[in-house]
Amino acid sequence: MSLTKIPSTMLLGGGSGGGNLETIVVVEGFDMAAINAAKIAAGDGGKLFFPAGGYTIAGLTADFDDQEWRFERGAILTRSASSLAHGIDVTGNGLTLKGDFVIDMNRALNSAPDWIGIDANPAYLTIEGDWELKNCPGVGVNCHEEKLRIKGGKISNTGYMGLYWVTTTNTNREAPTIDGLTIDRRTGWAYSGGIIINGGAGGTQSFGADVRNCVVYLPPLMTVGARDAAYDSVAIEINRCQQANASHNLINGGRIGVSFSGLDSSTMTANRGTLLGDYICEMVDCNFCTMTGNVGSGTGATVAHYGIAISGSSAGGNSIVGNCTKILFGASINDVQTVSYPNVKANNV
């Protein structure tokens, strides 16, 4: 295995020709032996390039620290039917994936729900490009404790939530940034939600979760029974963070569109949802947060529920202004919060 210089345009999935030359290890084959050889040649902090083609993976690990894997358009990694492992298991310090690629977890032939598409636990993870992760029997992307950065991409047909980030040691922890991700769980449904960010336990909070310009599809819950059986069907859920943001997301189906719990000084802005079983927007135990410009509708089957729900016993002081959420709900807003500072509610229809 040798170091090779190839055009930078190829490294970003844009085809051949032009661009600056960059030193990178090319994966010279389509099996695990070729990938492992390239990883070893690149070493810690090195870069791999996956040319277009079909790769068979089984127990693929990112076991070197801080490697960057780049993919040419048409690179497809398919998990073998006999593999008893995650798609990519990040066991080193962290991993960056860039380019135009597909990871197929082959759920139809390999369906044990313990197996995750990309598991970074604990490790940082960055994914950028026109990528797709599909057919996961379990969670799509799972990242614990460290930074998570996602730009673009699609996660589809997962047995459980599309993306999950959690930390248990969250003092000064920087929460994820997720921009332009599509999650489609309308097939392969096994309850749970879309994007779940859990900033930690106890009285501490992670800093700065940011979920914007995302699209989340969940099965619509058209009856009271279906809604009650899918309590955790939340499209975007952010817990225990401060100065978080959820904005300009599109949501179709599920029980709740966007849920904040235990957040301070955070914003929920210009999200749009349809076919929601319970609420479009929810705040629980939130302080001095802003909810504005959110628009959506219910299913018509759960008319006793509300477009917006506010609950808990924290200080309050939230601003809920200019939301349009009454369509096919019993009312636009329900505020049952016991607060020291009253919530401000105005111009909600």
Side-chain angles (χ1 to χ4, degrees):
M1 183 66 60
S2 60
L3 296 178
T4 304
K5 289 188 177 181
I6 60 178
S8 59
T9 51
M10 290 182 66
L11 305 184
L12 299 176
S16 60
N20 297 322
L21 296 179
E22 186 170 356
T23 300
I24 194 166
V25 177
V26 177
V27 179
E28 297 177 348
F30 297 98
D31 57 14
M32 286 293 298
I35 298 172
N36 288 334
K39 289 191 307 177
I40 293 169
D44 291 340
K47 298 178 181 179
L48 276 64
F49 176 62
F50 291 73
Y55 299 78
T56 299
I57 58 174
L60 177 57
T61 58
D63 43 0
F64 288 88
D65 290 343
D66 308 319
Q67 283 193 341
E68 181 173 294
W69 298 0
R70 301 192 188 180
F71 299 84
E72 186 178 20
R73 183 174 300 155
I76 302 173
L77 282 62
T78 301
R79 180 169 167 254
S80 75
S82 61
S83 173
L84 299 177
H86 306 310
I88 300 176
D89 192 356
V90 186
T91 59
N93 181 62
L95 177 66
T96 296
L97 304 173
K98 291 185 177 182
D100 190 348
F101 62 93
V102 174
I103 300 175
D104 186 346
M105 285 291 288
N106 204 8
R107 179 179 176 183
L109 298 177
N110 196 331
S111 60
D114 293 337
W115 306 125
I116 294 166
I118 302 173
D119 188 48
N121 180 17
Y124 82 77
L125 180 64
T126 298
I127 314 177
E128 300 177 4
D130 188 13
W131 56 277
E132 182 176 6
L133 172 63
K134 63 182 182 180
N135 302 328
C136 296
V139 177
V141 171
N142 182 55
C143 184
H144 286 206
E145 307 298 350
E146 300 294 342
K147 290 192 298 184
L148 174 65
R149 299 288 179 267
I150 291 184
K151 176 71 173 177
K154 180 179 181 180
I155 300 172
S156 63
N157 187 21
T158 62
Y160 292 93
M161 63 193 73
L163 184 147
Y164 183 55
W165 180 88
V166 63
T167 180
T168 56
T169 57
N170 59 352
T171 301
N172 299 318
R173 182 74 71 193
E174 186 177 352
T177 296
I178 303 165
D179 187 354
L181 174 65
T182 295
I183 292 181
D184 189 347
R185 299 201 57 229
R186 289 174 293 183
T187 59
W189 172 244
Y191 300 131
S192 72
I195 297 170
I196 311 299
I197 296 172
N198 192 338
T204 55
Q205 298 170 310
S206 295
F207 173 76
D210 189 3
V211 181
R212 63 178 66 203
N213 305 315
C214 295
V215 181
V216 180
Y217 297 97
L218 297 170
L221 307 172
M222 301 303 295
T223 67
V224 172
R227 182 204 70 210
D228 292 346
Y231 183 82
D232 57 352
S233 177
V234 182
I236 298 170
E237 178 179 325
I238 304 177
N239 301 319
R240 291 183 288 275
C241 291
Q242 57 179 306
Q243 299 186 44
N245 171 68
S247 64
H248 299 90
N249 300 291
L250 300 177
I251 297 154
N252 184 276
R255 190 175 74 86
I256 299 174
V258 182
S259 176
F260 282 1
S261 178
L263 267 61
D264 290 342
S265 304
S266 299
T267 57
M268 185 187 300
T269 306
N271 300 288
R272 288 163 284 172
T274 57
L275 294 175
L276 274 300
D278 252 343
Y279 321 121
I280 297 161
C281 299
E282 176 187 48
M283 284 186 185
V284 182
D285 293 336
C286 290
N287 302 314
F288 309 109
C289 293
T290 298
M291 180 190 295
T292 186
N294 300 286
V295 178
S297 59
T299 66
T302 56
V303 294
H305 291 261
Y306 303 89
I308 294 172
I310 304 169
S311 62
S313 57
S314 56
N318 302 295
S319 176
I320 300 98
V321 176
N323 302 283
C324 180
T325 61
K326 189 176 180 180
I327 301 170
L328 297 178
F329 282 103
S332 63
I333 185 169
N334 184 39
D335 183 353
V336 297
Q337 191 169 33
T338 302
V339 297
S340 301
Y341 301 95
N343 293 318
V344 175
K345 300 182 291 293
N347 301 321
N348 298 296
V349 295

